[in-house]
Amino acid sequence: MELKDTVKLMLSDDWRERLLGEYYQVAIRCHKLATFIRKVAHGEKKPKSDRELSHLKKQQVAMYNYIIALEHRMKNARIEFIPFEVE
């Protein structure tokens, strides 16, 4: 799934579909961020600075926590979804 695939969900009148779209958008962005951080760790990519890498890692933790919160909300609302796999 790509970000463009979430547009219909985000434009829905149903809050459950918008919540699902939000979840997938954050998961997609988090996956891309994790991929970049992993490439930095393997020397394949270089961040602008050590400070930038530190900020990206903090952002990644915040995104994981956000994903978990969205998963809890969807489970409580009985919304079916495919869980995001942490790399």
Side-chain angles (χ1 to χ4, degrees):
M1 179 179 283
E2 296 180 33
L3 283 174
K4 66 181 180 179
D5 300 323
T6 66
V7 172
K8 185 177 178 183
L9 291 169
M10 293 304 295
L11 297 176
S12 174
D13 290 332
D14 184 346
W15 70 270
R16 290 169 186 84
E17 289 183 357
R18 289 193 309 273
L19 182 62
L20 191 59
E22 181 178 353
Y23 173 76
Y24 287 126
Q25 284 187 0
V26 175
I28 291 164
R29 288 183 171 107
C30 193
H31 173 74
K32 289 181 179 187
L33 179 58
T35 299
F36 177 77
I37 291 172
R38 187 176 58 251
K39 287 182 179 183
V40 169
H42 291 116
E44 299 169 26
K45 293 276 187 177
K46 186 168 173 73
K48 293 178 183 177
S49 66
D50 289 340
R51 175 181 276 175
E52 178 70 15
L53 181 59
S54 174
H55 291 314
L56 291 173
K57 288 179 178 179
K58 288 177 186 176
Q59 179 181 344
Q60 183 182 30
V61 170
M63 291 173 86
Y64 283 149
N65 288 328
Y66 187 34
I67 287 168
I68 291 167
L70 291 172
E71 286 179 349
H72 286 261
R73 286 185 62 202
M74 289 188 298
K75 286 177 184 176
N76 287 337
R78 293 183 171 82
I79 299 171
E80 292 185 29
F81 65 99
I82 299 170
F84 174 68
E85 296 284 328
V86 176
E87 295 183 5

